[in-house]
Each structure stands twice: as structure tokens, then as C-alpha cells.
């Protein structure tokens, strides 16, 4: 099956810093989503981005499907950004909605 | 994603109990999913329903029994669980075609004693 690798596994920032999270995948994808899981377990959909670039406030994401990677940018980080960031992909040629998640990046933002 | 509603939020059950997890969505999606997430791990797919029919079972033990009574509801019936089944159970929904986003509920945190 498709492999999804996220880096870094852990990231510690001071409030106001910027960061870049990376997601590499081993095969073509129909769907790629970035999620933020908060300390209460809620999985919040940040971006649906199988290709191209999107921005939403302080967050933006870029997927280069031909090179099999995606990047999530967080600018001016806040303590509420803390949590786990997951990249999840739906491999090309597989059933719809069968998402494979990366191991996640644990982000801690200190005040 | 609050468009997918899961109940209860927390559940504690003994190994001999029978309980059910419920999931509801009103986005008109005809695909619904159960994922299991152990602590400090990513979610893993358990079941996929398409047009109210089970289309994927990822080799899940029979003590987990899914049910899709209509296009808006998805249940997960639990019986004779083990302590290692303690986890966060997430429901999701999507359109029935590739390349569309999945929307997740807030999950049910299950503890088996």
C-alpha cells in the first residue's frame, strides 16, 4: 500500500515563530488532506489539497503531486496551534475515502 | 468538522457489556466510515459503507459490528471487547467518488475495563 511519511515528528516553537511541515507519499494520490488534532481529540480538516496551493489565514499548503510531497506552512504561530498535524492521502486507483494517514507531527507552541 | 455528529463523546464499558456508538451526518454523503485511533497513533480505517452497504472491512474482529440503517446514520455495535480495544473511534463521511474530502466527527473515546 501507499506509504506516507511526515517530518519532523516533533516541533517546538515560541509563539510568533513560523514553521513548515512536510508530507511525502510513495504513489500517486486522488486526495490529500491536512488535519489538526487538538488535545481533546477533535480532528479538524485544514485543507483538501490534492495539488496546487491554498491559503487560509495564517495557514497555507502546497502539494506538488508530480514530486509526491505536500507542505503545510504555519505563520505567526499561536499556543492554540499546538496539537498533532496529520497528512492523509487517498491513493490513486483505490477505493474512495480510504485515507492512509502519516504518523503525524506533534507541534508544541510555547507562550 | 461539526457536520458529522458522534455520540456518546465518552464511553466506559466492561468486557461483558454490549454498547453502540452512533454517527449522524446531514451533508447528503452516501459514503460513511469508521476509523480507530489508538493513543499516539494515526487513525486507521475499519469499515467503509457505500449507499448503506458494507463495501470494505479491514479485517476487523467480529466483536465490532457496523450497521448503516439509512443514508444519514452509522452505528458501531460493540460486544465482548478487550481492554486493548480502548481507543478513539472516529466516524467520517464523503461523497461516493474518488478525490473528494472526508469530513470527520469529533469521535467517541472508548475505555474498556
Amino acid at each position: 500500500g501507499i506509504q506516507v511519511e511526515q517530518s519532523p515528528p516533533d516541533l517546538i516553537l515560541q509563539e510568533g515563530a513560523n514553521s513548515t511541515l512536510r508530507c511525502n507519499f510513495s504513489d500517486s494520490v486522488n486526495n490529500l488532506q491536512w488535519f489538526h488534532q487538538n488535545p481533546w481529540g477533535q480532528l479538524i480538516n485544514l485543507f483538501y489539497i490534492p495539488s496546487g496551493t491554498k491559503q487560509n489565514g495564517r495557514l497555507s499548503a502546497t502539494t506538488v503531486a508530480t514530486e509526491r510531497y505536500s507542505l503545510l506552512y504555519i505563520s505567526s504561530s499561536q499556543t492554540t496551534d499546538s496539537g498533532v498535524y496529520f497528512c492523509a492521502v487517498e491513493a490513486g486507483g483505490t477505493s474512495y475515502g480510504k485515507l492512509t494517514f502519516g504518523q503525524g507531527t506533534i507541534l508544541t507552541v510555547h507562550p | 468538522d461539526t457536520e458529522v455528529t458522534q455520540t456518546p463523546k465518552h464511553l466506559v464499558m466492561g468486557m461483558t457489556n454490549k454498547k453502540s456508538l452512533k454517527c449522524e451526518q446531514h451533508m447528503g454523503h452516501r459514503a460513511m466510515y469508521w476509523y480507530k485511533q489508538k493513543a499516539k497513533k494515526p487513525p486507521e480505517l475499519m469499515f467503509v459503507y457505500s449507499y448503506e452497504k458494507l463495501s470494505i472491512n479491514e479485517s476487523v474482529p467480529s466483536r465490532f459490528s457496523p450497521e448503516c440503517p439509512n443514508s444519514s446514520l452509522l452505528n458501531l455495535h460493540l460486544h465482548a471487547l478487550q481492554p486493548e480495544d480502548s481507543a478513539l473511534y472516529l466516524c467520517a463521511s464523503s461523497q461516493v467518488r474518488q478525490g473528494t474530502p472526508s469530513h470527520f466527527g469529533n469521535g467517541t473515546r472508548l475505555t474498556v475495563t
Side-chain angles (χ1 to χ4, degrees), chain B residues 84-101:
Chain B
E84 58 264 30
D85 296 321
S86 298
L88 180 68
Y89 289 84
L90 293 159
C91 173
S93 70
S94 77
Q95 297 180 40
V96 182
R97 57 186 177 91
Q98 292 179 338
T100 60

Side-chain angles (χ1 to χ4, degrees), chain A residues 2-111:
Chain A
I2 193 167
Q3 303 299 310
V4 183
E5 295 183 357
Q6 291 186 240
S7 60
D10 297 276
L11 185 58
I12 299 173
L13 301 174
Q14 287 297 127
E15 204 167 26
N18 302 329
S19 62
T20 301
L21 282 59
R22 188 177 180 100
C23 172
N24 292 334
F25 41 96
S26 61
D27 208 341
S28 62
V29 298
N30 297 319
N31 175 15
L32 188 146
Q33 292 181 249
W34 281 99
F35 295 94
H36 174 216
Q37 190 164 43
N38 64 24
W40 298 271
Q42 294 175 318
L43 199 63
I44 299 163
N45 187 23
L46 298 176
F47 292 102
Y48 163 66
I49 187 166
S51 63
T53 297
K54 291 186 178 180
Q55 180 156 8
N56 184 2
R58 296 182 296 104
L59 302 181
S60 63
T62 295
T63 297
V64 183
T66 53
E67 298 188 19
R68 298 180 182 169
Y69 73 88
S70 183
L71 302 174
L72 177 68
Y73 305 96
I74 304 174
S75 65
S76 303
S77 58
Q78 301 176 358
T79 56
T80 52
D81 295 331
S82 296
V84 185
Y85 289 79
F86 287 108
C87 166
V89 303
E90 175 193 300
T94 65
S95 297
Y96 48 84
K98 188 173 179 179
L99 290 178
T100 300
F101 285 74
Q103 292 298 307
T105 292
I106 301 173
L107 175 63
T108 303
V109 181
H110 291 301

Side-chain angles (χ1 to χ4, degrees), chain B residues 48-96:
Chain B
V48 179
Y49 270 83
S50 171
Y51 298 107
E52 297 83 69
K53 294 191 186 309
L54 183 65
S55 61
I56 295 178
N57 176 344
E58 293 285 353
S59 302
V60 179
S62 59
R63 58 185 183 269
F64 295 91
S65 176
E67 177 196 24
C68 191
N70 61 53
S71 61
S72 300
L73 294 174
L74 185 66
N75 298 322
L76 186 62
H77 302 298
L78 314 173
H79 173 56
L81 295 193
Q82 303 297 311
E84 58 264 30
D85 296 321
S86 298
L88 180 68
Y89 289 84
L90 293 159
C91 173
S93 70
S94 77
Q95 297 180 40
V96 182

Side-chain angles (χ1 to χ4, degrees), chain B residues 2 11 13-15 18-19 28 35 43 47-48 50-51 58 76 80 85 89 93 98 101 104 106-107 109-111:
Chain B
T2 56
L11 179 63
M13 62 184 291
M15 290 188 284
K18 288 184 180 181
K19 297 286 185 182
Y35 286 80
F47 302 105
V48 179
S50 171
Y51 298 107
E58 293 285 353
L76 186 62
D85 296 321
Y89 289 84
S93 70
Q98 292 179 338
F104 281 79
N106 290 335
R109 195 168 295 280
L110 173 69
T111 303

